[in-house]
Amino acid sequence: MAILHINTKQFNELKNSDKTVLLDFYADWCGPCRMVAPILEEIAAEKPDITVAKINVDDEPSLAAAFGVASIPTLVVMQNGKVLQSAVGARPKEQILSMLP
């Protein structure tokens, strides 16, 4: 499945999904965010049961604030509207996969 680039309205439609959702809070200017991007592409392609969504913090500051995002990249795993895990900073693929249920 392709990565979704979402805004607040789309997030509100997605947040109560029964599928696991992996959110990537990022910015285009962020070097570590660019390092994580191809890893998230791989995960999205390999795990069709997971929804991978990117949220640009410059475009959606209120959504980033709602999640307490102070540094990027911030990865958040949600299921049924609840945050299961979150991590700040670039992570290797194995660590990101270990966050998923």
Side-chain angles (χ1 to χ4, degrees):
M1 181 178 202
I3 290 181
L4 305 173
H5 291 264
I6 63 172
N7 59 30
T8 301
K9 181 178 181 233
Q10 293 161 319
F11 171 76
N12 287 333
E13 296 167 5
L14 181 68
K15 72 178 175 184
N16 291 319
S17 170
D18 56 349
K19 284 180 76 171
T20 299
V21 178
L22 173 59
L23 300 173
D24 173 29
F25 288 90
Y26 79 103
D28 292 331
W29 49 263
C30 168
C33 299
R34 289 194 297 269
M35 291 170 39
V36 171
I39 297 169
L40 296 177
E41 293 280 352
E42 286 179 25
I43 292 171
E46 295 169 3
K47 298 203 157 281
D49 56 321
I50 304 288
T51 300
V52 181
K54 295 177 74 74
I55 300 168
N56 187 316
V57 296
D58 291 332
D59 296 338
E60 301 295 332
S62 61
L63 191 52
F67 278 86
V69 174
S71 296
I72 52 174
T74 294
L75 301 174
V76 176
V77 178
M78 294 183 65
Q79 197 168 42
N80 297 317
K82 294 183 178 144
V83 174
L84 303 179
Q85 288 201 51
S86 64
V88 177
R91 307 279 168 162
K93 184 176 180 181
E94 296 77 28
Q95 283 186 8
I96 296 171
L97 288 173
S98 73
M99 293 172 62
L100 302 173

